[in-house]
Amino acid sequence: GLGTGGMVTKIQAAQFASRGGVTTLIASGKENDTLDRLMRGEGIGTRFDAAPAPIENKKRWLLLEKPHGVIHVDAGAARRLLHSGASLLPVGITEVEQDFERGAAIAVLDPAGTPIARGLSSYDSDAIRKLRGVKSAQIVEILGFSYGDAVIHRNNMVLLVS
């Protein structure tokens, strides 16, 4: 009655946060002072320390994670991703394959169908279908909300070719 999801889900979320460089604690919420005790450094609950090199660990994880969807990009977007250190913006997206949720690992393919990157999606597949080919300034107008200008932020992406 105090939370949702099972313990396995909580552990998976904590491990995901750890790989991303965030120290996470799982503790009982049955006592009123649990958060205060954690903040004082008491050794209650289970601690998942942040990974020592979160960016590299995240990239390693992205390489191993099976993509839940595919995004095709135009030549300009592919060039900017590969050579300019850019994030993937909606304007460069030409096609979206499969259905996936926000935060899913997705593959990015160039116009020839070659996988060039993998990343964590800032939007779900339905939102990206609505946004493909449009400028980031139109995101709120189209969706009524925004999770940022990038469909995949550079910090959440690993390149597969150079």
Side-chain angles (χ1 to χ4, degrees), residues 10-154:
K10 290 173 181 65
I11 291 171
Q12 287 173 338
Q15 289 171 333
F16 180 80
S18 174
R19 286 190 298 259
V22 177
T23 297
T24 306
L25 295 157
I26 298 176
S28 173
K30 291 182 181 179
E31 299 176 36
N32 290 335
D33 63 344
T34 300
L35 189 55
D36 290 333
R37 291 173 59 201
L38 288 169
M39 295 304 289
R40 288 193 303 265
E42 282 189 42
I44 60 171
T46 302
R47 180 183 175 107
F48 294 80
D49 288 322
I55 292 175
E56 292 306 314
N57 284 340
K58 185 191 299 184
K59 289 183 179 185
R60 190 174 304 115
W61 172 78
L62 278 170
L63 288 172
L64 297 172
E65 182 71 8
K66 181 179 184 268
H68 298 279
V70 176
I71 289 180
H72 295 261
V73 298
D74 63 26
R79 189 172 43 257
R80 284 187 291 283
L81 292 176
L82 295 172
H83 304 295
S84 300
S87 296
L88 177 59
L89 303 179
V91 70
I93 296 173
T94 59
E95 186 180 344
V96 180
E97 291 182 30
Q98 300 161 309
D99 293 326
F100 52 87
E101 297 297 317
R102 176 177 185 242
I106 54 176
V108 179
L109 278 55
D110 70 9
T114 304
I116 60 170
R118 223 177 255 167
L120 299 177
S121 179
S122 298
Y123 295 89
D124 66 28
S125 55
D126 290 335
I128 297 170
R129 285 183 183 99
K130 293 175 187 173
L131 296 174
R132 69 179 176 199
V134 304
K135 294 185 185 262
S136 296
Q138 297 174 277
I139 291 174
V140 173
E141 178 185 327
I142 292 168
L143 299 179
F145 63 90
S146 174
Y147 293 125
D149 291 346
V151 170
I152 302 176
H153 190 278
R154 184 60 188 202

